[in-house]
Amino acid sequence: MKKVDLLNLKGEKVKELKLNENIFDITPNDKVLYDAVILARASLRQGTHKTKNRSEVSGGGKKPWRQKGTGHARQGSIRAVQWVGGGRYGTPVPRDYSKKQNRKERKIALKTALTEKANEKCLIVVENITLSTPKTKEMLALLKTLKLEDKKTLIIVKEFDENLILASRNLQNVVLIAADEVNVLDLVATDTVLITEDALNAIEEVLK
């Protein structure tokens, strides 16, 4: 049974928690995790890139000169691809980059990411995260107490607190999400996961 220390906001150990072995102690499936990351990154792409081909640019309805006898190469339109202002060839068109992954695989990928964080000792559980003011310096002080000031940290809470949102939003190395928003991409992209006890229980309830 894998265990983790439960800390207070002073970084002091309060007690020891048992982690659900079906979530935090599985055999990692790197292939499924990789597919989930690719899916997540692909879903962020809008796919709205577009340039005009020769049928879409304006002008060019008239043949620029007669076919023979001018000394020029034959041309049919001044909007062909070789002309300045002409259409483009082989350039991007709108497309959907989204990929599919079945629900069971998505669940395995999430468990794999959580297991690897636990194995790497990068999972820190605290009783709660409450700030008295919405000031960034208070969040920085908390991170320094927990020795996370130099690490990219994913903070997971069960419910958002306004002070916490305001205090963390200006920190580039901090990502704040709710327990029901936990995803593979954020877990993989951050160094450490700082999670409240309530959020941990909520995640274990969903993934058990």
Side-chain angles (χ1 to χ4, degrees), residues 31-162:
K31 175 62 171 63
V32 173
L33 178 62
Y34 173 81
D35 289 342
V37 171
I38 295 298
L39 181 149
R41 289 177 63 85
S43 67
L44 298 175
R45 301 184 69 175
Q46 290 184 332
T48 55
H49 39 39
K50 177 72 171 74
T51 57
K52 292 182 179 181
N53 58 37
R54 64 179 293 174
S55 69
E56 295 171 319
V57 292
S58 61
K62 180 182 177 182
K63 188 174 175 67
W65 49 75
R66 67 179 188 270
Q67 183 81 346
K68 295 177 180 291
T70 64
H72 296 298
R74 55 195 176 189
Q75 299 290 331
S77 170
I78 62 170
R79 290 298 174 255
V81 295
Q82 70 271 20
W83 286 75
V84 174
R88 301 281 78 109
Y89 172 76
T91 50
V93 294
R95 58 166 288 191
D96 181 12
Y97 284 96
S98 63
K99 298 179 180 294
K100 293 183 179 179
Q101 189 177 36
N102 65 50
R103 187 180 302 173
K104 186 176 181 180
E105 286 182 322
R106 292 199 300 269
K107 201 170 184 179
I108 291 173
L110 195 54
K111 288 181 178 181
T112 295
L114 291 169
T115 293
E116 291 186 346
K117 287 300 180 187
N119 289 343
E120 295 166 2
K121 307 296 183 183
C122 294
L123 182 69
I124 299 175
V125 186
V126 293
E127 291 179 305
N128 55 62
I129 302 177
T130 54
L131 303 179
S132 57
T133 65
K135 294 184 177 180
T136 303
K137 66 179 182 180
E138 188 170 350
M139 173 58 74
L140 285 172
L142 173 60
L143 294 176
K144 188 173 182 179
T145 300
L146 299 175
K147 299 179 181 179
L148 299 176
E149 67 272 21
D150 296 326
K151 296 183 179 180
K152 189 169 184 181
T153 304
L154 175 65
I155 301 177
I156 306 175
V157 295
K158 187 173 182 181
E159 295 179 352
F160 288 127
D161 173 76
E162 186 175 1

